[in-house]
Amino acid sequence: DVEGSAAPATRDTSYFRIALIKMKLLSALALIGSAAAFAPAKTSSGSSSALNERVDPLDPSIGVTAPLGLYDPLGWLDPAKDPASGFATFHANFERRRAVERKHGRVAMVAVVGMLFHNAGIEFPGYLSKEMGIRFSDIPDGMM
């Protein structure tokens, strides 16, 4: 009876020892991987690809696709139809529209994160409108 109970304890000890070695190995690999993220990148001058080419950021042909060509249904890129053509150059208008697109994309991403927070039940303390007495917690999340 005593000998039979010692064998499972030895197996359990060896199992935990192997698990501990695996855990230490995985921790060391994770540490090495995170250290590699801060290492300087190697620069190769031998090969070139399309990703290494310098592209003018104001080139209006960026985003032009084969089946559609330059897709501009509202005619914003046509200088004759653009009311701001007298105030700024084509490239300035193009760069402004690109910046506005980035801003709208960022606002949309923040709105989605806000919706996810609200639907998860995370609400800010305080009032949405102090004069009307509307608290943030008074707004339903839209999920019935």
Side-chain angles (χ1 to χ4, degrees):
D1 229 72
V2 175
E3 289 178 24
S5 64
T10 306
R11 270 188 261 136
D12 289 343
T13 306
S14 64
Y15 171 77
F16 287 121
R17 188 177 305 141
I18 291 171
L20 183 65
I21 291 170
K22 286 181 183 179
M23 184 176 64
K24 287 181 179 180
L25 178 65
L26 287 175
S27 298
L29 289 175
L31 188 63
I32 290 169
S34 64
F38 297 103
K42 292 170 100 177
T43 57
S44 64
S45 60
S47 67
S48 66
S49 68
L51 296 176
N52 293 338
E53 291 181 21
R54 284 290 189 198
V55 178
D56 181 19
L58 297 176
D59 184 11
S61 65
I62 295 173
V64 174
T65 56
L68 296 176
L70 180 62
Y71 185 69
D72 184 23
L74 300 177
W76 285 352
L77 296 178
D78 185 11
K81 295 180 184 176
D82 191 5
S85 64
F87 301 109
T89 64
F90 173 80
H91 290 298
N93 286 334
F94 186 77
E95 186 59 32
R96 181 188 171 279
R97 288 193 177 94
R98 184 180 282 172
V100 168
E101 175 108 12
R102 278 192 305 263
K103 181 182 81 167
H104 289 167
R106 290 171 183 163
V107 168
M109 287 187 278
V110 169
V112 167
V113 169
M115 185 235 11
L116 292 173
F117 267 59
H118 190 70
N119 287 346
I122 303 169
E123 295 168 350
F124 293 114
Y127 288 92
L128 184 63
S129 174
K130 189 94 167 167
E131 293 83 23
M132 298 179 73
I134 302 173
R135 300 181 66 84
F136 286 109
S137 59
D138 295 339
I139 306 297
D141 62 358
M143 306 285 284
M144 297 289 172

